[in-house]
Amino acid sequence: MSCLDKDPKNTNSNEQKQENKVKLGNGKRLGLEGDENLKFLLNGGELVKIRSSSWQRTRFIKLQEDCETLSLDSQKIFKKNKTYTIDEIESVRIGRQSEGLNKYTDPSDEDRCFSIIFNDRKKNLDFMAASPEEAKQWVNSLEKVISNMRNLNHQQKSEHWIISCMRKADKNGDNMMSLKELKHFLRQINVEVSDTYAAELFTQCDESKSGTLEGSEIKIFYNLLTKREEVDVIYGKYSQTNGQMSATDLLNFLLNEQRETATLKDALQLIEKYEVDPTAKQVNCMTKDGFLMYLHQEDGCILNPAHKPIYQDMTQPLNHYFISSSHNTYLMEDQLKGPSSTEAYIKALLKSCRCVELDIWDGANGEPVIYHGHTLTSKVLFRDVIQAIKNYAFKTSEYPVILSLENHCSLEQQKLMAHYLTSILGDALLTKPLGKTMPTNFPSPEELKGRFLIKGKRLNKLDAAFTNNNTMEDGNVSEEDEAAELNKENGQKPKSKKSKIKLAKELSDIVIYCKSVHFNGFEHSRENQAFYEMSSFKESKAFHLSETSATAFMHHNMDKLSRIYPAGSRTDSSNYNPVPMWNVGCQIVALNFQTPCREMYLNQGRFLPNGFCGYVLKPEFQRSLSSQFDPNKLTKGPWLKKKTFHIMVISGQQLPKLNKNKEKSIVDPLVRVEIHGVPADNARKETHHIDNNGFNPMWNESFQFEINVPDLALLQFVVEDYDAASQNDFIGQYCLPLTSVQSGYRRVPLFTKRGDPISSAGLFVHLMLMDVQ
């Protein structure tokens, strides 16, 4: 409940009644007024919080009256209750699905357990309820509130956030706002203003001259605060019908500003979809509120709505796609002493990663384990990882998942690995080629939907899968290239090139389309390698080839798969730039998914369209055998489509505070616009910074970029907090392929460092991509 929700004349001094009204108001905004699940969470209850076999303590959990914060009592006299916002929660999982619950609780308690998983590096919260019914009630109730929060439209999220800040500013809870509380509120929403301006604003709204804002005065203040002058100007230009936009006016806007191939029917559909005033809708007109709603929704977003679902041809051979890929997927942090976890695989798969890596070593009790060999990283059981992969592989995307095995195990444990792979993954594991005859090319992602492919060493050619006398026994194969490189970088005595490791037949037989082989040059590969034989390249080798033999590298990738991995020297789990690798058509460009960084932002941007399914079709010139494309030396060809790209960064909305604990810490935002693609297209330009305003900064700065190969270009917006004395702080970013950008006035959403949406925050820009004559 906020000052906006309540008429001061009806103020009730009874605290319990006030609290109930507060809860009701917030439930209403979430569309859950009177909902039993919401009531359950607001009342709260006791759960056993589990950290280890010895640390299992009862805690009282409840949803606070803002309907967006969970509180957990600490039961320590001088310690504040722990709080977690609903926005931070990635998912709620019923059962013993977390590593902690799996390890520290009994299987008989499966139905009483659940976990709350967070977006960032916050540790999971593992709980046990008194009964299976109670556990289910907690999970269902939390999922309902999370789902409703996520399904709020941008306008509702914005209002929800502003009202939440108003509530925090209303220190004495009287549902009125004094001048002091108004200044506190402005700092809450990331704006610092002079005392004079705050007083002017207050006086303007205080129509009753009572010294406080209440009821309708609060609404005047809210409307003044959320007024979008830049939108008013655009709306005013096109609203030519009694001060409103008729369908014809809207069509003119779509054709002239948004550069869409729209019809009057499209304009009428937008009015039907977004107009909030029934009277205006009845006469096929769009009010300013409806226009603002349109700009904030999918149709007004920078990402082309037609590119949001799967829109590409998914029936091409597998190697014709860029494939979202992870390196050392098991690691949560660095490469030397950080934890290994099944959770790292779950997070990567839920972000549509379609190629995960498993470094497998002999473990205790005959059980293979996964960890970063010869380091202090913790170990996780191979079978637990395979179970987690099976459970989460196809929740975000139906398309195939490649398990890249780096096998260091004895024959006995290899046989157990093969057993776990076949028994846990079942029919989803590809154990023979598709079809009844020996293939000459890869199947498509469409044909491999819901399937797992194993990448690893194989004892013989794939033809053996079609013979009845495949009687080959365990044998010797050369070591994986990445393992050999790592041993060298760790200072171990290098093995001779002829050095072999033992490989179990059972493991060899399930390697079908991704047989690992050493790279001996493009000519050797062309003459000696089958299509299913693929090489892995350390980043330095791959970058050298992309600079010196770009066209040959691209042709190599037209009928084979290539995997690129970070140098072993990147012990901090940093990443290399994936763009030059995509420029030469490399498919499996493996990055450290656990590290929030510029390179991961680019990876997220590359795979953002096409249903975020982890597969993006390469441009036709990277798939055609006649192509002579070289990203480093641009010549005439179908890739060369020269464009001039005009961008105006107009304004920002509700940028987050970076230091929430310091009320007076207000951001000074600037926006950097970057193009990433072929070397000739790489560029970046930056706005000036705005002092002390993260709520509604206005830049109105225009930039121009010259683009040569739009099919490979990525557009990125980075918002930072300017600091004259040190490095700027990251606020948010958004990246997408240039081919998926909509022209005209568009909203740009913003993501956190870890790639999660920042609720209600965004940029407002104008874009125009023009052909160069």
Side-chain angles (χ1 to χ4, degrees):
M1 181 70 185
S2 77
C3 320
L4 271 177
D5 295 319
K6 181 163 179 164
D7 188 329
K9 295 187 181 85
N10 296 328
T11 303
N12 192 315
S13 59
N14 184 294
E15 287 184 13
Q16 185 58 49
K17 284 184 183 176
Q18 171 123 340
E19 187 181 341
N20 288 337
K21 286 183 181 179
V22 166
K23 294 174 182 178
L24 184 68
N26 291 303
K28 189 174 181 180
R29 277 195 294 278
L30 281 176
L32 290 173
E33 189 175 5
D35 184 84
E36 291 303 317
N37 291 297
L38 182 63
K39 284 181 185 173
F40 173 80
L41 292 176
L42 289 166
N43 290 329
E46 288 189 340
L47 292 166
V48 177
K49 185 181 176 188
I50 293 168
R51 275 196 195 158
S52 67
S53 48
S54 57
W55 199 104
Q56 302 190 6
R57 297 177 188 173
T58 300
R59 293 286 181 261
F60 187 82
I61 323 292
K62 68 172 289 190
L63 184 67
Q64 291 186 0
E65 59 191 44
D66 62 5
C67 290
E68 60 183 37
T69 312
L70 274 180
S71 69
L72 194 76
D73 69 340
S74 69
Q75 295 194 341
K76 288 186 179 175
I77 297 171
F78 297 111
K79 204 167 178 185
K80 279 185 176 179
N81 286 353
K82 281 267 182 88
T83 59
Y84 306 86
T85 68
I86 295 294
D87 268 348
E88 293 175 304
I89 299 174
E90 180 190 276
S91 60
V92 186
R93 298 183 196 152
I94 190 81
R96 297 163 62 248
Q97 292 198 53
S98 72
E99 285 179 9
L101 288 173
N102 208 18
K103 196 172 179 181
Y104 304 126
T105 61
D106 194 85
S108 63
D109 293 321
E110 178 78 33
D111 294 342
R112 294 168 55 207
C113 295
F114 71 93
S115 302
I116 297 176
I117 314 297
F118 295 96
N119 290 320
D120 54 20
R121 281 188 176 176
K122 273 195 178 76
K123 287 183 179 175
N124 302 345
L125 289 177
D126 291 333
F127 295 114
M128 188 188 293
S131 68
E133 293 73 30
E134 196 178 314
K136 200 175 280 185
Q137 173 81 72
W138 276 101
V139 172
N140 291 344
S141 300
L142 283 167
E143 283 182 339
K144 188 148 190 191
V145 170
I146 292 165
S147 171
N148 279 51
M149 183 75 84
R150 286 177 186 165
N151 289 333
L152 292 176
N153 63 42
H154 176 79
Q155 199 79 1
Q156 290 168 322
K157 281 179 185 171
S158 173
E159 187 176 309
H160 189 84
W161 178 73
I162 291 170
I163 288 168
S164 172
C165 292
M166 279 185 172
R167 189 183 311 105
K168 288 172 188 168
D170 184 15
K171 293 289 191 183
N172 60 6
D174 64 356
N175 288 289
M176 300 178 192
M177 193 179 280
S178 65
L179 175 58
K180 185 179 178 183
E181 286 174 333
L182 179 136
K183 283 154 71 174
H184 174 68
F185 164 72
L186 289 171
R187 284 193 287 268
Q188 283 278 339
I189 63 167
N190 217 352
V191 183
E192 184 70 64
V193 298
S194 68
D195 288 351
T196 307
Y197 179 73
E200 282 174 11
L201 196 63
F202 187 84
T203 305
Q204 196 177 339
C205 300
D206 184 16
E207 294 180 334
S208 64
K209 311 298 180 194
S210 63
T212 59
L213 303 186
E214 45 197 287
S216 61
E217 294 170 338
I218 295 280
K219 291 195 174 180
I220 293 168
F221 172 62
Y222 176 87
N223 292 336
L224 204 61
L225 191 71
T226 55
K227 184 178 173 65
R228 295 276 303 275
E229 286 181 16
E230 71 277 34
V231 175
D232 290 354
V233 170
I234 303 161
Y235 184 79
K237 182 180 174 182
Y238 284 94
S239 53
Q240 300 295 312
T241 311
N242 301 321
Q244 293 186 342
M245 263 191 192
S246 66
T248 305
D249 295 337
L250 180 56
L251 178 60
N252 287 335
F253 170 76
L254 296 174
L255 295 173
N256 298 330
E257 299 290 355
Q258 309 298 69
R259 303 176 74 82
E260 294 179 16
T261 53
T263 63
L264 192 61
K265 185 182 175 185
D266 296 320
L268 288 165
Q269 283 176 341
L270 288 177
I271 290 170
E272 181 61 35
K273 193 172 179 181
Y274 296 119
E275 182 47 54
V276 290
D277 182 341
T279 309
K281 191 185 282 190
Q282 211 167 18
V283 293
N284 294 327
C285 280
M286 185 175 262
T287 61
K288 197 188 297 177
D289 286 343
F291 184 63
L292 197 58
M293 185 72 79
Y294 152 75
L295 288 175
H296 281 158
Q297 297 306 309
E298 188 177 79
D299 290 292
C301 185
I302 189 172
L303 174 63
N304 185 343
H307 288 197
K308 203 173 178 184
I310 289 162
Y311 75 98
Q312 295 183 326
D313 177 7
M314 301 303 287
T315 63
Q316 298 277 326
L318 193 72
N319 64 311
H320 283 190
Y321 298 82
F322 297 127
I323 303 171
S324 182
S325 306
S326 159
H327 170 253
N328 287 358
T329 315
Y330 46 90
L331 294 176
M332 296 287 281
E333 295 171 15
D334 64 60
Q335 309 275 316
L336 297 178
K337 58 187 189 310
S340 304
S341 168
T342 56
E343 191 58 44
Y345 285 94
I346 294 169
K347 284 187 182 293
L349 291 166
L350 290 177
K351 289 193 171 175
S352 291
C353 177
R354 298 292 87 186
C355 178
V356 296
E357 187 178 10
L358 301 87
D359 285 3
I360 314 113
W361 299 76
D362 280 356
N365 307 316
E367 286 286 345
V369 293
I370 290 176
Y371 82 112
H372 201 206
H374 311 299
T375 69
L376 299 176
T377 57
S378 65
K379 298 171 183 177
V380 58
L381 288 175
F382 176 78
R383 70 162 186 258
D384 288 349
V385 167
I386 300 304
Q387 187 62 58
I389 289 172
K390 188 202 174 187
N391 292 345
Y392 289 91
F394 304 112
K395 283 191 180 291
T396 307
S397 169
E398 302 175 277
Y399 289 101
V401 171
I402 300 168
L403 308 187
S404 181
L405 306 185
E406 196 175 293
N407 167 27
H408 306 269
C409 292
S410 60
L411 281 175
E412 292 72 23
Q413 295 208 13
Q414 285 182 43
K415 291 175 193 287
L416 192 52
M417 280 167 56
H419 167 70
Y420 286 140
L421 286 165
T422 52
S423 62
I424 294 172
L425 301 181
D427 292 341
L429 178 66
L430 199 73
T431 55
K432 59 183 180 182
L434 301 183
K436 295 180 180 178
T437 56
M438 178 62 198
T440 56
N441 204 350
F442 290 97
S444 68
E446 192 65 35
E447 291 173 290
L448 292 168
K449 263 185 180 177
R451 305 301 293 272
F452 293 100
L453 281 64
I454 304 297
K455 175 198 163 290
K457 291 290 179 177
R458 186 179 168 97
L459 292 164
N460 53 12
K461 293 280 187 185
L462 191 57
D463 313 52
F466 292 94
T467 61
N468 295 323
N469 59 347
N470 182 14
T471 55
M472 182 175 280
E473 295 301 314
D474 305 334
N476 294 321
V477 292
S478 61
E479 192 175 27
E480 285 278 359
D481 286 353
E482 186 174 353
E485 287 284 355
L486 192 62
N487 289 336
K488 201 190 296 181
E489 286 173 3
N490 285 340
Q492 294 178 29
K493 190 176 176 182
K495 299 178 181 180
S496 73
K497 283 191 177 177
K498 293 183 179 177
S499 176
K500 303 286 183 182
I501 60 165
K502 288 274 188 188
L503 179 64
K505 176 184 182 298
E506 293 88 339
L507 205 52
S508 166
D509 283 351
I510 55 176
V511 173
I512 307 300
Y513 290 115
C514 301
K515 176 185 176 182
S516 296
V517 297
H518 182 70
F519 178 73
N520 290 306
F522 293 126
E523 192 176 339
H524 178 272
S525 297
R526 190 165 57 250
E527 292 174 1
N528 299 284
Q529 271 180 237
F531 76 91
Y532 58 84
E533 294 180 311
M534 64 175 289
S535 301
S536 289
F537 303 83
K538 184 170 75 169
E539 64 173 273
S540 56
K541 171 96 171 175
F543 272 82
H544 175 71
L545 290 170
S546 72
E547 288 161 11
T548 59
S549 311
T551 306
F553 207 165
M554 184 187 67
H555 277 275
H556 174 82
N557 290 322
M558 284 182 190
D559 62 359
K560 295 175 184 67
L561 286 167
S562 290
R563 175 179 172 270
I564 319 299
Y565 60 91
S569 56
R570 293 185 181 274
T571 53
D572 59 352
S573 294
S574 60
N575 280 306
Y576 58 90
N577 182 2
V579 174
M581 301 296 96
W582 292 325
N583 286 346
V584 291
C586 295
Q587 303 88 349
I588 301 176
V589 181
L591 299 176
N592 290 306
F593 264 54
Q594 73 272 32
T595 307
C597 59
R598 173 175 166 270
E599 295 78 16
M600 274 305 297
Y601 306 153
L602 297 176
N603 194 76
Q604 184 180 22
R606 167 62 67 209
F607 294 99
L608 185 67
N610 205 37
F612 195 52
C613 73
Y615 285 84
V616 167
L617 186 64
K618 295 194 276 186
E620 196 275 336
F621 58 79
Q622 288 190 327
R623 298 179 273 126
S624 169
L625 293 171
S626 62
S627 175
Q628 290 303 305
F629 172 66
D630 182 337
N632 309 307
K633 300 169 190 169
L634 295 178
T635 56
K636 281 191 176 179
W639 48 86
L640 203 63
K641 303 171 186 171
K642 292 195 172 188
K643 311 266 186 189
T644 299
F645 190 30
H646 299 274
I647 298 181
M648 185 180 192
V649 179
I650 302 171
S651 62
Q653 292 77 45
Q654 296 171 30
L655 305 178
K657 283 173 76 79
L658 296 183
N659 191 337
K660 291 180 182 176
N661 297 323
K662 288 188 180 176
E663 187 186 297
K664 293 190 178 180
S665 172
I666 310 295
V667 299
D668 306 321
L670 61 81
V671 180
R672 192 167 59 253
V673 183
E674 302 183 4
I675 302 289
H676 301 270
V678 299
D681 290 346
N682 291 336
R684 58 172 63 187
K685 302 199 175 172
E686 195 171 277
T687 68
H688 65 288
H689 72 273
I690 304 286
D691 288 327
N692 294 324
N693 187 351
F695 181 72
N696 54 3
M698 292 275 286
W699 292 280
N700 285 321
E701 282 197 52
S702 297
F703 305 119
Q704 182 175 312
F705 298 91
E706 302 305 323
I707 310 289
N708 295 280
V709 187
D711 288 341
L712 287 173
L714 293 168
L715 168 64
Q716 185 180 28
F717 295 88
V718 182
V719 186
E720 291 180 340
D721 180 16
Y722 173 77
D723 194 321
S726 62
Q727 193 174 358
N728 294 345
D729 291 319
F730 176 91
I731 294 176
Q733 71 84 34
Y734 189 78
C735 181
L736 76 168
L738 193 59
T739 50
S740 294
V741 168
Q742 292 203 98
S743 289
Y745 289 102
R746 302 293 174 185
R747 179 176 180 272
V748 180
L750 292 174
F751 291 151
T752 65
K753 276 184 180 178
R754 298 207 162 267
D756 302 304
I758 303 174
S759 182
S760 76
L763 301 175
F764 187 55
V765 299
H766 185 269
L767 314 118
M768 199 158 49
L769 194 61
M770 311 282 288
D771 291 329
V772 174
Q773 299 301 323

